[in-house]
Amino acid sequence: MSVSHFAVLSCCRPLLVPSLSRASSLRSRICCCTTLTATSTETPTSTSVKKRVVSGVQPTGSIHLGNYLGAIKNWVALQITLPYDTQQLSKATRSTAAIYLACGVDPSKASVFVQSHVRAHVELMWLLSSTTPIGWLNKMIQFKEKSRKAGDEEVGVALLTYPVLMASDILLYQSDFVPVGEDQKQHLELTRDLAERVNNLYGGRKWKKLRGRGGTIFKVPEPLIPPAGARIMSLTDGLSKMSKSAPSDQSRINILDPKDLIANKIKRCKTDSFPSLEFDNSERPECNNLLSIYQLVSGKTKEEVVQEIQNMNWGTFKTILTDALIDHLHPIQVRYEEIMSDSGYLDEVLAQGARNAAEIADTTLDNVYQAMGFFRRQ
C-alpha cells in the first residue's frame, strides 16, 4: 500500500466566541487528508483502489504528545474553540505547519495549507448550515459543556455551528476515512448524517434533472480509530485527555519541550501506590496511560513492554520513559528548527498546498451549488 497525503492547515479564521474575559476567540484547526492507494492481487490483473483520509488538530496552543501520537504520527504512517492572542496567531500557524513537516508529513506527497486560504471551506459550511437541523447541533456534547461553563452571554453562535465547519472540511475532499479519537466520534457522526441528508435532499435524479451527473454528492466517511494513541491522557489526571487548553503545562508533553523539562514533567507526573506496573487496569488509569505512551514512542509491541516492565518500579520506569521520549522527539525538534529558519521554503509549501487543495475543493463546491439549484458561476 502506497501512501500520499493531502493535509489541511486550518486557522487564521475568526470563528468563535468571546472568552470569559470577553477577549476575542477563534476556533482553529489543522486537518490532514491522506490518500491511500491499495493494490489488490486477488484478481488476475492487479488493480489500485484509492482511499482518502482526513483528520485535524488545532494550531492554537502548543502541539503536544497527544496530538502527535493520536493524530499526526498516524498520518505519517498512513484539530475546540479557545481564546487566542491575535498577535501570536500567525506565528502559531507557521509553527504548527513546521511541526507537521518535522513530524514526517512529506510535502512531495502531502498538500499542507492554511484553511482560510481555500474559501470553499466557509462557502460549503454556509450551504451545509441551511440543511442542518438546530436540534442536531444542540446535542453536541462539547457545545453543551462549553456553553454551560461560559454562560449564554459569553458563547457565540460559531461555537454552536463549528461542527458544520468541521463537516465541510471533511466532505469537500470526498473523504473515505477520518482518523478520530474517541472524543471526536460525535462530530464525525454529524458529518456522516449531513452527507446522507444532502445526498437524499439534492442528489440522485434530482441532481440529474439539473443537468448534473446524478448519484451521491458526498462520500459518507468512516471513522478510523488507531488501536493505540487515539486518546493520550493528562500527566496529572489519567482520566482526562491531554489537552492544550488545560491550565497546567505540567499536564502535557509538548513536542518542542526541551529535554530537561520533559524529565521534570515525567518525574512529577501522577502515578499510584500499586507495587507493579500493568496495562488495562481500570483502577490504574495513570499507569495505563504512561505505559501506552512508552509503547508508542519506543515502537515496541504491548507484549514486549509487558515483558520489559516485569518487577519494575515507578522510579526505574520513569527513567526509561523519559529517555524514550527525549530520543523520540529530538530529531523532530532538530528538523523543526531547520524548517523555521527557512521561511521561503515554508511559505512555498503552504502556497502550493493551497493551490492543490482549491482544485479539489472547488470541484466539490461547484457540484453542491448545482445540486442545490444555484445559478451557476461562469
Side-chain angles (χ1 to χ4, degrees), residues 247-262:
S248 173
D249 190 59
Q250 176 65 33
S251 67
R252 56 188 167 265
I253 298 292
N254 302 306
I255 295 298
L256 302 180
D257 279 348
K259 60 182 181 180
D260 290 345
L261 183 56
I262 292 173

Side-chain angles (χ1 to χ4, degrees), residues 281-340:
N281 184 336
S282 61
E283 296 182 1
R284 307 185 66 187
E286 289 81 15
C287 184
N288 185 71
N289 184 47
L290 294 175
L291 290 176
S292 297
I293 292 173
Y294 178 65
Q295 177 194 340
L296 289 162
V297 299
S298 67
K300 297 178 180 180
T301 66
K302 190 173 184 178
E303 292 72 23
E304 288 172 336
V305 174
V306 169
Q307 288 294 321
E308 184 179 1
I309 63 173
Q310 283 186 350
N311 303 317
M312 188 178 290
N313 59 33
W314 277 116
T316 303
F317 175 70
K318 284 187 174 184
T319 298
I320 66 169
L321 174 58
T322 298
D323 291 342
L325 282 167
I326 292 171
D327 289 346
H328 192 86
L329 295 179
H330 178 70
I332 295 174
Q333 294 171 350
V334 170
R335 179 57 181 149
Y336 168 82
E337 294 298 336
E338 293 173 351
I339 294 169
M340 288 297 288

Side-chain angles (χ1 to χ4, degrees), residues 6 146 149 166 181 186 258 371:
F6 185 81
K146 285 182 174 288
K149 291 178 181 178
M166 182 183 291
Q186 189 184 37

Side-chain angles (χ1 to χ4, degrees), residues 100-374:
Y100 262 55
L101 302 176
C103 286
V105 175
D106 186 344
S108 69
K109 299 177 181 178
S111 297
V112 182
F113 64 96
V114 179
Q115 184 198 49
S116 57
H117 295 176
V118 180
R119 296 180 179 179
H121 287 260
V122 290
E123 288 190 54
L124 181 59
M125 177 200 176
W126 180 248
L127 296 175
L128 292 179
S129 296
S130 71
T131 66
T132 305
I134 191 68
W136 290 9
L137 299 180
N138 284 331
K139 295 177 182 178
M140 302 304 290
I141 293 173
Q142 291 188 359
F143 169 74
K144 290 193 291 186
E145 290 178 348
K146 285 182 174 288
S147 60
R148 182 173 60 250
K149 291 178 181 178
D152 290 345
E153 294 301 315
E154 301 290 350
V155 174
V157 172
L159 177 61
L160 178 66
T161 60
Y162 182 74
V164 183
L165 180 60
M166 182 183 291
S168 76
D169 293 341
I170 296 168
L171 298 178
L172 269 176
Y173 301 101
Q174 303 296 341
S175 314
D176 295 285
F177 299 103
V178 181
V180 291
E182 289 291 338
D183 62 327
Q184 291 294 320
K185 288 179 69 176
Q186 189 184 37
H187 283 174
L188 180 58
E189 289 167 3
L190 178 71
T191 299
R192 289 170 49 82
D193 290 342
L194 282 174
E196 292 174 345
R197 185 176 178 85
V198 171
N199 288 341
N200 291 333
L201 287 174
Y202 304 108
R205 293 181 179 178
K206 299 174 186 176
W207 185 14
K208 204 160 190 177
K209 288 180 180 179
L210 296 173
R211 299 182 180 179
R213 62 172 170 79
T216 59
I217 300 170
F218 296 124
K219 285 186 177 181
V220 181
E222 297 289 340
L224 187 63
I225 301 176
R231 192 172 175 85
I232 299 299
M233 312 307 286
S234 167
L235 296 181
T236 57
D237 179 5
L239 296 177
S240 299
K241 184 180 177 182
M242 188 176 287
S243 171
K244 288 179 286 186
S245 62
S248 173
D249 190 59
Q250 176 65 33
S251 67
R252 56 188 167 265
I253 298 292
N254 302 306
I255 295 298
L256 302 180
D257 279 348
K259 60 182 181 180
D260 290 345
L261 183 56
I262 292 173
N264 181 263
K265 287 181 176 181
I266 295 301
K267 182 179 180 179
R268 297 174 57 194
C269 71
K270 184 179 179 181
T271 55
D272 56 42
S273 58
F274 287 77
S276 60
L277 308 179
E278 60 183 332
F279 280 101
D280 302 326
N281 184 336
S282 61
E283 296 182 1
R284 307 185 66 187
E286 289 81 15
C287 184
N288 185 71
N289 184 47
L290 294 175
L291 290 176
S292 297
I293 292 173
Y294 178 65
Q295 177 194 340
L296 289 162
V297 299
S298 67
K300 297 178 180 180
T301 66
K302 190 173 184 178
E303 292 72 23
E304 288 172 336
V305 174
V306 169
Q307 288 294 321
E308 184 179 1
I309 63 173
Q310 283 186 350
N311 303 317
M312 188 178 290
N313 59 33
W314 277 116
T316 303
F317 175 70
K318 284 187 174 184
T319 298
I320 66 169
L321 174 58
T322 298
D323 291 342
L325 282 167
I326 292 171
D327 289 346
H328 192 86
L329 295 179
H330 178 70
I332 295 174
Q333 294 171 350
V334 170
R335 179 57 181 149
Y336 168 82
E337 294 298 336
E338 293 173 351
I339 294 169
M340 288 297 288
S341 67
D342 189 349
S343 60
Y345 166 75
L346 185 56
D347 289 344
E348 178 54 32
V349 167
L350 296 177
Q352 184 60 51
R355 290 191 288 269
N356 295 343
E359 183 177 345
I360 297 174
D362 288 347
T363 298
T364 297
L365 185 63
D366 287 345
N367 286 338
V368 176
Y369 274 126
Q370 182 187 44
M372 293 181 71
F374 282 76

